[in-house]
Amino acid sequence: IDAALSVFIQEYEMIKAISGGKDVWISETGWPSDGSCANGAAVPNAINQERYLREVMEWCNREGVVLSWFDAFEQLWKDGTEWCNVASHWGLF
């Protein structure tokens, strides 16, 4: 989680560099609120989800970047058999 915003910005800058001057919009980003595994400090939980959302939104607002968050609502109908059981936990509500 500590490097998430830096990675986000790095990926954005890479795409922007090859966009030929076109506007670059972030069409999907997010952080799972729950799941069964972590990648170091990149733990899927509500605290990290809130932090990532806040940091990304602040940066996008400051830089004038259009952002779409994935996903508004938890998708509890998903069965939990996917990797790390995160597919149903990307929503804010």
Side-chain angles (χ1 to χ4, degrees), residues 43-83:
V43 178
N45 63 37
I47 292 169
N48 287 344
Q49 183 186 57
E50 187 276 331
R51 176 180 171 184
Y52 182 72
L53 172 64
R54 181 178 32 82
E55 290 178 357
V56 166
M57 286 183 65
E58 287 173 357
W59 182 85
C60 286
N61 287 335
R62 190 171 50 251
E63 298 297 318
V65 174
V66 175
L67 169 69
S68 177
W69 183 261
F70 181 80
D71 200 6
F73 299 97
E74 298 280 90
Q75 298 178 12
L76 302 178
W77 54 269
K78 293 185 177 178
D79 67 6
T81 60
E82 73 288 338
W83 181 76

Side-chain angles (χ1 to χ4, degrees), residues 9-19:
I9 294 169
Q10 181 181 28
E11 295 291 326
Y12 172 82
E13 294 296 339
M14 263 183 10
I15 298 301
K16 187 176 175 185
I18 62 171
S19 72

